[in-house]
Amino acid sequence: MENEGAKKSIKERTKTKHKEKQPKEAKESSNKQVAELFSHLEIAKGANASLASRDIHPAVLVIGLQFADFKICGANARCIATLTAFKKVIQDYKTPEGTTLSRHLPTHLSPQISYLVNSRPMSVGMGNAIRHLKLEISTMDIDLADDDAKLLLCGKIDNFIRDRITVADRVIVSYGLQKIQDGDVILTYARSSVVQALLLEAHAKGIQFKVIIVDSRPRLEGKGLLRCLVDAGISCTYAFLHAVGFVLKDVSKVFLGAHAFMSNGALYSRVGTAMVAMMAKEKNIPVIVCCETYKFAEKVQLDSFVMNEQGNPDEMVNISTTSTPKAGLLDGWLHKPDLKLLNLLYDLTPSKYITTVITEVGMIPCTSVPVILREYKQV
């Protein structure tokens, strides 16, 4: 009996030692989940090429890693990269015996999509583009030869990129030029590819205006826009989000980009957008949003907590605005039991704070988003 008791105590001590050997950071990070209010939000698991299935195409592996590292960011850039990779998947695809391309190809695309979702949660535009591709596959003639079917699908992908993104952006820029006059002081937040194209085109047309770029940590996307506009010869002012109330006194118009538009007219965009729009509206400054219609979602969203994406909380630790890290008050946050970090990537702006939306189908109020969605369904 004494021997059995001794054995039990040895086992217990061994278990305790094993527990002690577990890295402290792993324990601490597991206890760092923020309040349950945010527990349902999507967190990027990261792309791991070594653990990926053999079914994952190399082109998808590459963009998955780039999505996870934010080397490709922005709704348009991510959507174009995804569709371009799927073109390569389709071109290299071989239909198994006993089935047809239109029946089996969606099954082959599923692990590719899952890998991208695990790399980083899918944007609304990407989801719409993938649904469009699946619809095109399902409506193809079942007797069509594989080579012809692949050629047809690749053409459909090219048409979607051209019509819904590339040409759409050009049309939005042409409409947006009507809203910029000489002497304007334009404020924009972070970096939107279509807003950037609009400002560059307005400058090329000889319109005299100034730009105030408002930016925020941790991504500091506005620095890239600032560099691009200054290189083009546009007069710019750069400020952080906490100074937006001060810089708004000189602003005549606010131009914003969009990640998505909900069917209730709410704007879903990078975090900080809602603050800029609400403060501008308070001062009776027009808030103009540039958004392609492929980013319109049928969902209804009333706040930023129902659907959002959590970024890496470690990104908030570095307080330096240069490439050299600089420790701040958040440094070592994992070892502080009462400190938890929440890095939300997007927020929601109610429709009442938005003056107009510029799309490729024209300038519309936010309330027309469901009308556009209905029209596209009927086509």
Side-chain angles (χ1 to χ4, degrees):
M1 293 290 290
E2 290 179 2
N3 289 338
E4 288 179 4
K7 286 179 182 177
K8 285 181 180 179
S9 62
I10 291 169
K11 285 181 181 179
E12 287 173 0
R13 285 199 298 272
T14 306
K15 286 180 180 178
T16 306
K17 285 181 181 178
H18 282 306
K19 287 180 181 178
E20 289 174 354
K21 286 181 181 179
Q22 291 178 359
K24 288 183 179 180
E25 288 191 4
K27 289 181 183 178
E28 289 166 349
S29 61
S30 64
N31 296 326
K32 285 293 185 176
Q33 175 63 51
V34 289
E36 291 184 5
L37 177 64
F38 308 104
S39 60
H40 67 286
L41 297 183
E42 295 180 289
I43 305 175
K45 299 175 184 176
N48 192 332
S50 61
L51 299 178
S53 165
R54 289 183 299 174
D55 296 331
I56 307 301
H57 193 277
V60 177
L61 286 174
V62 170
I63 65 166
L65 292 168
Q66 291 173 327
F67 286 173
D69 294 337
F70 284 84
K71 290 182 179 177
I72 298 179
C73 57
N76 286 348
R78 289 175 67 195
C79 185
I80 291 172
T82 301
L83 291 177
T84 304
F86 283 173
K87 265 185 66 177
K88 295 176 182 176
V89 173
I90 291 169
Q91 288 166 351
D92 295 339
Y93 168 79
K94 293 182 180 178
T95 307
E97 292 184 9
T99 186
T100 59
L101 183 141
S102 60
R103 297 285 176 84
H104 186 264
L105 183 55
T107 307
H108 181 66
L109 289 176
S110 292
Q112 324 287 335
I113 297 167
S114 298
Y115 175 78
L116 292 180
V117 171
N118 287 333
S119 301
R120 188 184 166 193
M122 190 176 295
S123 69
V124 171
M126 285 171 61
N128 289 339
I130 289 171
R131 278 190 288 275
H132 176 80
L133 176 59
K134 287 184 174 180
L135 179 64
E136 293 291 350
I137 295 171
S138 65
T139 55
M140 279 197 320
D141 185 357
I142 198 171
D143 297 322
L144 197 64
D146 281 6
D147 289 341
D148 294 336
K150 290 180 185 179
L151 196 62
L152 179 63
L153 285 176
C154 289
K156 295 286 186 181
I157 291 173
D158 289 335
N159 290 343
F160 185 92
I161 295 173
R162 182 196 65 203
D163 298 341
R164 305 298 298 275
I165 303 177
T166 309
V167 174
D169 283 353
R170 291 179 196 159
V171 176
I172 289 171
V173 167
S174 67
Y175 282 125
L177 288 173
Q178 301 172 26
K179 292 290 185 180
I180 303 177
Q181 287 92 33
D182 286 329
D184 272 343
V185 178
I186 296 169
L187 183 142
T188 186
Y189 176 64
R191 187 180 192 179
S192 164
S193 59
V194 66
V195 172
Q196 176 179 305
L198 171 59
L199 296 175
L200 291 173
E201 183 65 20
H203 178 70
K205 295 286 186 184
I207 303 173
Q208 301 298 317
F209 62 95
K210 295 180 180 179
V211 177
I212 297 175
I213 300 169
V214 177
D215 207 0
S216 65
R217 296 179 53 249
R219 304 229 66 86
L220 297 174
E221 295 173 275
K223 290 175 74 175
L225 176 62
L226 175 67
R227 190 177 298 111
C228 179
L229 297 185
V230 169
D231 288 345
I234 300 174
S235 176
C236 296
T237 300
Y238 183 78
F240 282 105
L241 186 58
H242 56 262
V244 67
F246 177 75
V247 298
L248 273 172
K249 63 183 175 71
D250 300 320
V251 172
S252 55
K253 295 180 182 74
V254 173
F255 279 86
L256 299 172
H259 183 82
F261 253 105
M262 302 299 157
S263 62
N264 62 336
L267 167 64
Y268 184 68
S269 193
R270 52 186 56 78
V271 67
T273 302
M275 182 188 295
V276 174
M278 286 188 281
M279 293 191 72
K281 191 68 174 179
E282 182 69 21
K283 295 181 180 293
N284 294 317
I285 299 170
V287 178
I288 302 165
V289 179
C290 300
C291 182
E292 303 86 352
T293 55
Y294 86 96
K295 295 178 184 175
F296 288 3
E298 294 184 352
K299 297 177 182 177
V300 172
Q301 193 169 334
L302 301 176
D303 57 45
S304 304
F305 310 131
V306 173
M307 183 184 78
N308 212 317
E309 181 182 344
Q310 287 193 56
N312 184 357
D314 286 327
E315 292 179 344
M316 304 177 70
V317 175
N318 177 19
I319 63 169
S320 175
T321 57
T322 64
S323 57
T324 306
K326 184 178 178 182
L329 293 174
L330 299 178
D331 193 44
W333 69 281
L334 280 173
H335 306 294
K336 298 174 183 177
D338 296 326
L339 177 61
K340 298 177 181 179
L341 301 184
L342 177 66
N343 183 14
L344 293 180
L345 298 189
Y346 302 102
D347 66 16
L348 196 82
T349 306
S351 59
K352 64 182 179 180
Y353 298 109
I354 298 167
T355 308
T356 189
V357 183
I358 303 178
T359 71
E360 68 268 28
V361 297
M363 300 185 200
I364 61 172
C366 298
T367 50
S368 294
V369 170
V371 178
I372 302 297
L373 286 168
R374 185 174 67 244
E375 290 299 317
Y376 269 110
K377 273 191 171 183
Q378 292 175 357
V379 175

